Amino acid sequence: MSDHSEQNPAAASGETTAKPSHVYHRENVDRYIQANREMEATRRHLADASEAIHELEGSEDVAVFQKQIDLLKRRLYEQPEFFHQVFISEGSNAITWEFQQPELGKDFIRAFWNLLVREDAMSTVLMRFIWNVPLGYKRKFIRALDTHMKDRYPMFEGLSQGWPAENGISPYIRPPAERCKDFDLVSQGYLGYMGLGYSAREVELLVWLEVLRDKQCEDGPCQVGVEIPDQEEPKGGCPVRIHIPEVLRLMGEGNFRRAMEVITESNPLPNVTGRVCPQEVQCQGVCKQTKRPIEIGQIEWYLPQSMKLSADSIDDIGEVVSPWAKADRPPIAVVGSGPSGLINAYLLSKEGFPVTVFEAFHELGGVLRYGIPEFRLPNELVDDVVQKIRLLGGQFVTNFVVGKTATLESLKRAGFWKVFIGTGAGLPKFLNVPGEHMNGIMSANEFLTRVNLMQGHREGSETPLPETDGKHVIVIGGGNTAMDAARTARRLGGKVSIVYRRTQEEMPARVEELHHALEEEIDLKVLRSPKAFLGDEKTHFVSHAVLDIMELGEPDASGRRRPAATGREDTIEADLVIMALGNATNPIVKDSEPDLKTSKWGTIEIVTGQETSVDDVYTGGDAARGGSTAINAAGDGKKAALQEINERVPFNASEIRELVARAEHYTKQGQARAEIIAVTDLGLGIVEMEVRAPLVAKNARAGQFVRVLQAEKGELIPLTLADWNSETGTITLVIQGLGSSSKMINRMQVGEALAGVAGPLGRPSELHRYENGETVVFTAGGVGLPPVYPIMREHLRLGNHVTLIAGFRSSDVMFWTDAGERVEELRAEFGEQLDVIYATNDGSYGVKGFVTGPLEQMLEQNKAGNGRTIGEVITIGPPLMMRSVSDLTRGYGVKTVASLNSIMVDATGMCGACMVPVTIDGKMVRKHACIDGPELDSHIIDWDKFLPRFLQFREQEEKNKLRHGLN
Ligand code: FAD
C-alpha cells in the first residue's frame, strides 16, 4: 500500500487516525471513487471551458494537476491491472470484512449494488469477486438483495428461498391477457425488464444473477450431454456444442462480450436458437440444478440481442471484398434458406467462397419465417442473418425451385462446384379420415403460411384467411407446429382447442410453448383422435369433428405409450380444423435427380459425413432428418460447410475464375426483375402479358405453370404457361381478371415488374405418340385456350392428330382465333393434322352451345365405328366445364385428363391447399394439383368434393375486390 501512496489520492490525503480495518478500507474505497469523480469532473470542465483553459493554462495549480492526471493516465494505460490491484487489495479487504458478518447490511448492499450498476472497470472487479466467493457468501449476497432491495427490484423478493438450486430470476413474459391479442413477442426475456423501466445495465445484472447460480460442473452436461449406457448418443447437451460452462464463467466474471464470442464460435444463430431450441431436453434438460435449470436459452439470446440494442455487435463485418470479385474459390450453391442453408451460406461466405442461396419462396428463412410466428421469433432476426450473409458477399435468388427451375446437375453446369441441399421437410401429413376434404380444414403449414409469410391478417394483404373470430378452431397434434397454429388462431379471435391422441406428458412441443398456450386459455383435449369430420351439405364447410376417445397402451418404438381407441366417441364443434401432424420431405428435388438416394420416408440419404449419394452434393437439416429442430439443422449446415465443403479445391486459378464468372451470370439471371415486356388486351378483362423470366423460359415444358406474386403484399397465384421463349428469356401469361390479384396484374403496364415469378411448376404433360391416327381432343373453355395451346403444339410436333374444341361465351370474347393469330398459325403450320371447332354459348360464332356438344358427337361417331378414334381428351378451363367433359367421356371409357389450377398458396406442395380428392380402388386419396398435377385423370377426381374448394375464400375475395374498387 505505502509504495503506491503517491498515486493513490486516498492515501495521499494523509489520514492516519486509527480505525477498525474495515472502516479504513471502506473509506479508502469511497475516497478513491470520490477523487476519481472529481478529477473526471474537473477534466470535463476544463475541456469544455476552452476560454478558461486559456486563462488557466499558465497557472501552477493547473500544472500540478495536469501532472497528476498525466501520471494517472500513463499508469492506467501501461498498467491497468495496477488499479485493479489497488482496488482489489483495498476494496476487497473491506468487502471481505462485510461478507464475514452474519448478514450484509442495507447500506452496504445498496452501495455495493450501485457500484455494480456503474458498469466500469470496478464493477467488473466486483462481479468477478462475487463469482469467485464461496457459495455461502453468494447466498448471503442474494439474501441481502432479497431483504434490502426488493422495493426497487420486486423480482428479488423471495429469491433467496432455495437459491441457487430451486430459485432464479425469471425472464419477463408478457401477461397472457395482453399478449394473446397481438403478434408481439411473448417471451421478452431479461430485456423485457427494460420495458418496466430498468436500465440496460440493471438488466445485465439480472442476467448475471441468473448466471451466478451456475455450479461450473466439471463434466459440463449442458454442453456435452450425459452418457447413457448402451446408447451411442448422449442424452441432452448442445447439438452444436456451445461451450456453455465457459460462457457462464465469462459472464459470471463480467466478461459478457467474450462470452458472446465463445457462443458464436460454435453457433452463428444464437438469437434464433436461444428462442426456439427445446432446451428442456437439451442443455437445460441435463442441468444439475434439476429443480430449476439455469435459463441457458434465455441467456443465449440475451447476449446478441442486448448487443444489437446497444449497437455493439461483435460481428460487425466491416469492409469485405466480395468473394465473387476475388474469384479465388469456386462457387457453392445452397438450396433452401432455412437454418441449415443460412448457416451453411454464412460460414462458406466467411471462408471466402462465392455462395448463392436458391430459395423456392419469395422470402428467406424457411420455417423460421413461414412457420414460427413472430410472437415467438421476430422476422427481423432472420433478416439480420440474411444481411450478414449479404455483407459477406453471399447472393440470394428467390422464387427458384430446385428440381423445377433447375436440376442439381444444371446448377453444377452453371458453374457451382458443390451444392448443399437444405430443403427441409415441408410436405404436410393428413389423417385421411372421412370429411377431411371439406372447406375449413387445412394443414398448419397452409394456415401459418397465410398468416406468417403472406401476412393475411394485416390490413392491405391480398391473401385470404379462414374466418377465425369467435369461431371454434381445433388444432390436431401436440408438437411445436400445433402450438404455433393454436396460438396464432387464438390471436385471431378463435376459441381454440388442441386435440391430441396421447396425454399432456407425451406432447412433443417445447414445454414453454405448451405452458404459454395453456395460459392463453387454449383448451387441451387429450386422448382424442379425429375419426371423421361432419359438415354443412350446402356450404361444404366443416361444422363438427367426431373424435375417438383414446387410452394409452404399451410403449411404442418412440418409447411413448401407444394410444388405442376405446370405442367411445366425442363430437365437438369445429368451424376451422388445422392439421399439425408433422411433415414429410418434399419429393421435388429427389424426383428431378434419379441418383439422389432417399430413405423409405423420403428423407435424403447421407452416405458419409453430410454428403449424399451424388458427388459434391451435401445435405442436412430436416431434408435429411425428417422433422427435427432448428439447432440440429444449423449443426448440419455448419458441419457440411466447415468439415466437408471447405476442402482442397481441385481447380487452378483460371478455372476458378471461369466457374465464378459462369455462376455469377447464372445468379444474375435468377435475380432478374420479372419485367413486363408487352401487354395485349384480349378484351373483356383478359390480358396477355410477356414477362421476363429467363430461367423459367429456359426450362418450361408444356403443361406447366408458374406461381406469380403481383406485388410485395400480394397473393401467390398459379398461372398456366401460355408460351415461352428461351432465347428472349420471356414467358407468356394470359390472365382473366376474376379475383383482386388477377385484376391488379391486368392493370400493370409495360416496364413494371411482378414481385415474383416462380416456375416452371407442376409436372409437364405426359405426351404419347398415337401411332394409329387417333386424335387427341382438347376442350378449352375461355381462358383454357392459352394453357391448351403449348400442349396442343407439342402433340402436333410429335406427329399426333389434334382436334381443338374451343368454347367461348360469344364471338366478341374470342381471342387467338383470327388469321395470323396463334390457333390459325398452328393450322397454317400443321394443316390437316389439326381440326378446329369453335363453339359459342349464344351461337354467335361456330357451333351453338358448350364444348361438350361437338365432343359428344365425336364420341357417338366413335361408338358407331365412324370418324377418327379419340386417343384421349384433355380438358382445361372453368371447373364446371371440365367436370361436364369428364362426366361425358366417362360413359364412353375415353381417357380424360383435366388440368387443375385450384387454390394454391406455395404451389410446391408445402401447404396442401391444392388438395384434389380422388378415388383409387374405392378409397379416397389426397392428390395435390401442384405436385401430382396440374394434369390429373379426371375420372378418378371426386368432383362433388373438389368443386366447392374453389369457393372456399369467395367472401374474402369479394371483400378484397371492394377494397380495391375492382368490382
Ligand atoms: P426449413 O426451415 O424447412 O427450410 C427449408 C427451405 O427450403 C424453405 O425455405 C423452403 O421453401 C426451401 N425449399 C424447399 N424445397 C426447395 C426447392 N426445391 N428449391 C429451393 N428451395 C426449396 N424447431 C425448433 O428447434 N424449435 C421450435 O420451436 C420449432 N418450432 C417449429 C414450428 C413450426 C410451425 C414448424 C413447421 C417447425 C418448427 N420447428 C422448430 C422445426 C424447425 O423449424 C426445423 O427443424 C428447421 O427449420 C429445419 O431447418 P431446415 O434448414 O432443414 O429447413
Side-chain angles (χ1 to χ4, degrees):
M1 178 75 210
S2 58
D3 49 335
H4 294 145
S5 59
E6 78 274 24
Q7 285 95 24
N8 184 332
S13 71
E15 204 170 337
T16 51
T17 327
K19 284 183 180 174
S21 70
H22 74 278
V23 176
Y24 173 80
H25 288 310
R26 218 169 53 203
E27 282 177 354
N28 271 342
V29 172
D30 290 348
R31 271 201 305 279
Y32 173 74
I33 295 162
Q34 188 54 31
N36 251 340
R37 253 193 227 129
E38 279 166 12
M39 278 196 287
E40 178 60 17
T42 312
R43 193 194 61 74
R44 249 189 264 123
H45 176 74
L46 288 176
D48 292 347
S50 56
E51 281 176 30
I53 286 173
H54 216 67
E55 280 175 28
L56 280 169
E57 247 170 8
S59 85
E60 202 181 318
D61 283 352
V62 168
V64 172
F65 184 78
Q66 196 55 51
K67 243 188 194 166
Q68 252 189 335
I69 288 203
D70 288 347
L71 194 58
L72 273 169
K73 264 193 193 161
R74 220 173 43 236
R75 289 300 280 268
L76 186 62
Y77 287 133
E78 285 168 6
Q79 286 176 277
E81 73 283 3
F82 161 73
F83 283 86
H84 291 174
Q85 280 156 13
V86 169
F87 178 77
I88 290 163
S89 56
E90 291 295 306
S92 67
N93 284 346
I95 293 165
T96 309
W97 184 88
E98 286 285 353
F99 271 80
Q100 280 162 350
Q101 305 313 301
E103 294 298 337
L104 301 177
K106 182 176 178 174
D107 291 346
F108 173 81
I109 193 69
R110 285 185 178 244
F112 191 91
W113 183 262
N114 287 342
L115 292 178
L116 283 171
V117 171
R118 284 167 51 119
E119 201 184 357
D120 52 13
M122 182 170 44
S123 68
T124 309
V125 172
L126 290 178
M127 288 166 96
R128 195 174 307 157
F129 170 81
I130 295 287
W131 171 257
N132 287 306
V133 293
L135 181 62
Y137 279 23
K138 284 187 186 142
R139 284 210 176 98
K140 203 178 284 182
F141 173 61
I142 297 293
R143 263 200 312 277
L145 292 178
D146 185 342
T147 314
H148 301 302
M149 308 264 330
K150 59 183 175 242
D151 50 342
R152 164 125 184 76
Y153 301 95
M155 64 290 269
F156 291 171
E157 185 158 10
L159 180 63
S160 56
Q161 304 293 313
W163 193 94
E166 297 169 33
N167 213 343
I169 296 174
S170 299
Y172 180 70
I173 313 288
R174 289 170 68 216
E178 174 195 312
R179 70 188 191 227
C180 69
K181 295 193 191 92
D182 61 41
F183 281 78
D184 292 345
L185 205 55
V186 168
S187 171
Q188 306 223 331
Y190 288 101
L191 287 164
Y193 286 111
M194 286 179 77
L196 304 184
Y198 296 101
S199 69
R201 173 60 176 172
E202 286 174 296
V203 169
E204 191 166 78
L205 290 174
L206 300 183
V207 176
W208 173 70
L209 289 175
E210 178 61 9
V211 169
L212 276 188
R213 297 172 58 223
D214 181 47
K215 288 181 178 169
Q216 289 286 288
C217 313
E218 270 182 18
D219 46 353
C222 49
Q223 179 181 334
V224 297
V226 175
E227 298 291 335
I228 306 282
D230 302 331
Q231 271 191 27
E232 212 174 293
E233 289 288 310
K235 178 179 169 228
C238 174
V240 292
R241 297 282 183 264
I242 296 176
H243 301 290
I244 298 168
E246 171 70 353
V247 169
L248 295 178
R249 183 188 67 76
L250 287 163
M251 293 176 78
E253 293 190 339
N255 196 347
F256 281 42
R257 199 178 167 79
R258 178 67 199 130
M260 176 63 192
E261 284 165 4
V262 171
I263 290 183
T264 45
E265 279 159 17
S266 310
N267 174 16
L269 280 184
N271 213 343
V272 172
T273 50
R275 297 168 201 246
V276 302
C277 265
Q279 287 95 4
E280 69 274 10
V281 292
Q282 294 177 339
C283 50
Q284 295 179 200
V286 286
C287 176
K288 290 197 175 160
Q289 312 274 30
T290 48
K291 293 215 172 111
R292 182 165 175 153
I294 294 174
E295 299 274 1
I296 298 169
Q298 293 285 347
I299 291 168
E300 185 189 351
W301 75 260
Y302 163 77
L303 286 170
Q305 187 66 21
S306 60
M307 288 180 185
K308 183 175 171 193
L309 292 180
S310 62
D312 181 28
S313 171
I314 62 152
D315 45 17
D316 274 347
I317 284 162
E319 285 289 301
V320 172
V321 181
S322 163
W324 294 92
K326 272 203 272 176
D328 58 3
R329 302 200 122 192
I332 310 292
V334 174
V335 185
S337 65
S340 65
L342 287 181
I343 293 261
N344 191 268
Y346 171 77
L347 293 172
L348 288 171
S349 303
K350 229 174 155 189
E351 290 296 321
F353 286 94
V355 176
T356 302
V357 180
F358 295 95
E359 165 56 48
F361 268 130
H362 57 290
E363 295 274 6
L364 302 164
V367 170
L368 306 182
R369 169 104 45 189
Y370 75 72
I372 302 180
E374 289 227 66
F375 57 79
R376 269 219 293 142
L377 185 70
N379 282 339
E380 68 170 70
L381 301 182
V382 182
D383 296 339
D384 287 350
V385 183
V386 170
Q387 181 58 10
K388 272 190 215 165
I389 299 172
R390 286 192 205 279
L391 289 173
L392 289 167
Q395 296 287 325
F396 291 90
V397 176
T398 49
N399 292 302
F400 189 107
V401 185
V402 173
K404 296 289 181 190
T405 317
T407 58
L408 294 174
E409 203 37 57
S410 50
L411 286 179
K412 284 193 194 166
R413 277 202 306 276
F416 292 96
W417 175 40
K418 295 190 176 213
V419 183
F420 176 80
I421 309 177
T423 44
L427 200 69
K429 294 183 186 160
F430 289 87
L431 285 168
N432 288 326
V433 296
E436 210 182 31
H437 61 277
M438 267 181 291
N439 289 345
I441 301 182
M442 61 177 60
S443 73
N445 278 7
E446 178 181 348
F447 179 67
L448 291 171
T449 301
R450 285 181 184 277
V451 180
N452 298 340
L453 183 72
M454 304 310 297
Q455 301 280 299
H457 59 301
R458 304 245 186 246
E459 197 58 38
S461 169
E462 297 301 321
T463 301
L465 284 187
E467 285 287 325
T468 39
D469 199 12
K471 302 283 181 190
H472 294 280
V473 180
I474 66 168
V475 178
I476 321 291
N480 288 324
T481 311
M483 300 306 134
D484 285 344
R487 296 173 69 201
T488 299
R490 174 80 179 90
R491 280 159 177 73
L492 298 173
K495 294 182 236 163
V496 186
S497 304
I498 293 176
V499 172
Y500 183 57
R501 61 193 182 137
R502 294 184 163 101
T503 68
Q504 189 174 329
E505 283 80 69
E506 284 88 19
M507 282 188 158
R510 287 181 84 218
V511 169
E512 187 185 20
E513 308 314 328
L514 173 59
H515 177 67
H516 288 168
L518 296 176
E519 280 183 344
E520 289 164 13
E521 295 177 354
I522 287 168
D523 186 28
L524 264 196
K525 293 195 186 307
V526 292
L527 290 172
R528 299 283 186 283
S529 177
K531 180 182 187 177
F533 297 102
L534 310 176
D536 184 306
E537 297 230 326
K538 270 201 208 122
T539 64
H540 302 277
F541 269 89
V542 65
S543 63
H544 289 85
V546 184
L547 308 176
D548 268 328
I549 300 182
M550 315 296 280
E551 62 186 5
L552 292 185
E554 293 302 308
D556 63 13
S558 72
R560 293 177 303 169
R561 292 177 63 196
R562 191 190 302 272
T566 59
R568 286 176 289 129
E569 281 178 17
D570 192 7
T571 299
I572 60 170
E573 281 182 86
D575 304 302
L576 173 66
V577 178
I578 301 171
M579 299 285 182
L581 304 161
N583 289 326
T585 310
N586 192 312
I588 287 183
V589 176
K590 177 197 80 175
D591 286 353
S592 71
E593 178 53 71
D595 293 338
L596 188 68
K597 284 201 185 135
T598 51
S599 71
K600 64 177 174 184
W601 299 281
T603 50
I604 300 174
E605 266 185 27
I606 287 177
V607 177
T608 47
Q610 298 295 137
E611 194 167 8
T612 68
S613 54
V614 178
D615 281 351
D616 295 330
V617 175
Y618 302 77
T619 189
D622 285 5
R625 294 169 177 266
S628 181
T629 60
I631 190 81
N632 279 333
D636 291 349
K638 179 180 162 189
K639 191 170 156 213
L642 299 185
Q643 293 174 23
E644 303 187 36
I645 297 176
N646 183 17
E647 57 167 17
R648 205 189 64 78
V649 170
F651 307 109
N652 65 31
S654 80
E655 283 168 338
I656 294 177
R657 277 197 300 277
E658 193 272 329
L659 287 174
V660 172
R662 258 195 289 147
E664 192 169 22
H665 174 71
Y666 190 81
T667 300
K668 286 203 173 117
Q669 277 194 317
Q671 292 169 334
R673 272 173 94 227
E675 189 183 341
I676 297 169
I677 307 295
V679 174
T680 313
D681 188 352
L682 301 179
L684 287 177
I686 302 175
V687 170
E688 178 183 336
M689 244 176 214
E690 207 181 324
V691 178
R692 186 179 312 288
L695 296 180
V696 180
K698 197 168 167 182
N699 294 292
R701 309 250 306 272
Q704 290 189 297
F705 62 93
V706 287
R707 183 192 69 203
V708 172
L709 178 72
Q710 185 255 336
E712 252 177 50
K713 282 188 175 179
E715 183 188 0
L716 298 172
I717 55 167
L719 294 171
T720 309
L721 282 166
D723 208 351
W724 54 90
N725 183 335
S726 58
E727 269 162 33
T728 55
T730 56
I731 56 172
T732 305
L733 305 171
V734 175
I735 308 123
Q736 183 170 29
L738 291 174
S740 57
S741 299
S742 50
K743 285 193 175 198
M744 289 203 290
I745 295 179
N746 284 0
R747 284 178 165 189
M748 293 177 78
Q749 305 290 321
V750 170
E752 286 184 281
L754 296 164
V757 175
L761 298 174
R763 292 178 188 276
S765 297
E766 276 180 28
L767 301 169
H768 175 77
R769 168 80 174 102
Y770 291 93
E771 301 287 354
N772 300 318
E774 296 94 330
T775 185
V776 179
V777 178
F778 287 85
T779 66
V783 276
L785 180 59
V788 148
Y789 169 76
I791 311 173
M792 200 164 66
R793 187 174 57 190
E794 284 314 300
H795 276 278
L796 289 166
R797 285 179 181 163
L798 207 65
N800 286 333
H801 183 273
V802 168
T803 306
L804 168 67
I805 310 176
F808 296 94
R809 256 189 294 144
S810 64
S811 60
D812 53 352
V813 295
M814 290 174 72
F815 59 88
W816 283 15
T817 53
D818 284 344
E821 292 183 338
R822 294 193 191 231
V823 175
E824 291 307 311
E825 267 186 357
L826 279 186
R827 205 149 40 175
E829 186 180 346
F830 292 95
E832 292 192 349
Q833 212 184 317
L834 173 64
D835 286 342
V836 180
I837 304 168
Y838 292 116
T840 48
N841 300 3
D842 59 3
S844 52
Y845 191 84
V847 181
K848 182 171 189 300
F850 302 119
V851 292
T852 42
L855 177 62
E856 192 171 6
Q857 253 184 18
M858 288 178 75
L859 290 164
E860 279 298 316
Q861 275 182 358
N862 270 200
K863 201 172 155 191
N866 298 325
R868 211 181 262 278
T869 309
I870 298 178
E872 65 180 295
V873 176
I874 297 162
T875 179
I876 308 183
L880 279 174
M881 180 215 75
M882 291 192 284
R883 190 208 175 131
S884 305
V885 169
S886 178
D887 287 349
L888 175 65
T889 55
R890 187 197 301 266
Y892 294 89
V894 173
K895 178 184 168 192
T896 303
V897 167
S899 181
L900 310 170
N901 265 351
S902 61
I903 315 144
M904 295 183 185
V905 181
D906 79 309
T908 63
M910 194 281 288
C911 70
C914 60
M915 190 267 245
V916 185
V918 302
T919 312
I920 296 176
D921 297 333
K923 264 184 76 181
M924 198 201 97
V925 178
R926 295 177 74 97
K927 292 266 178 195
H928 290 102
C930 66
I931 287 204
D932 307 300
E935 289 175 18
L936 287 174
D937 175 352
S938 78
H939 293 155
I940 61 169
I941 296 170
D942 188 333
W943 291 94
D944 285 339
K945 293 189 172 106
F946 177 56
L947 289 177
R949 295 185 68 79
F950 284 91
L951 304 175
Q952 185 159 202
F953 292 110
R954 194 168 52 174
E955 252 179 56
Q956 289 89 325
E957 274 160 11
E958 287 307 314
K959 272 189 209 153
N960 277 350
K961 274 197 266 181
L962 262 180
R963 184 160 54 87
H964 293 295
L966 291 169
N967 278 49

